[in-house]
Amino acid sequence: MNYRNLYDEIIAGLPDDVRIDDYAVGRPWTYMRSGGLVGICMTIPAYTRPRLRKESFLGCSLREAGEYVRSLQGQ
């Protein structure tokens, strides 16, 4: 399995009806909250291409946000 297939499998398991309620991007961590769920990850401070999404991720579904993560992986 290559990493692109891994992203596809993870995204397929994300619910489309669960929305992002809050998030913050900082150094070195980024966090996201959706209802009673919270996720964190390391922030990579590299800007090698234009932003794909100009608007906020507030209200965005977890699946849609996952699609943006996958698009950063070269798809």
Side-chain angles (χ1 to χ4, degrees):
M1 173 188 300
N2 68 37
Y3 72 91
R4 289 187 177 139
N5 292 343
L6 178 61
Y7 278 102
D8 289 339
E9 288 188 33
I10 292 170
I11 291 167
L14 293 173
D16 199 38
D17 61 342
V18 176
R19 305 281 174 191
I20 295 173
D21 295 323
D22 192 21
Y23 72 97
V25 179
R27 289 190 182 166
W29 301 103
T30 294
Y31 106 99
M32 184 276 313
R33 182 179 57 80
S34 178
L37 304 172
V38 174
I40 62 169
C41 66
M42 281 195 82
T43 304
I44 299 173
Y47 302 99
T48 59
R49 64 189 228 187
R51 293 176 67 176
L52 298 175
R53 182 180 174 102
K54 304 286 189 235
E55 62 272 4
S56 170
F57 280 96
L58 291 178
C60 178
S61 75
L62 294 182
R63 183 172 292 161
E64 184 181 355
E67 294 288 342
Y68 281 99
V69 171
R70 180 178 49 199
S71 69
L72 292 173
Q73 302 305 318
Q75 292 209 9

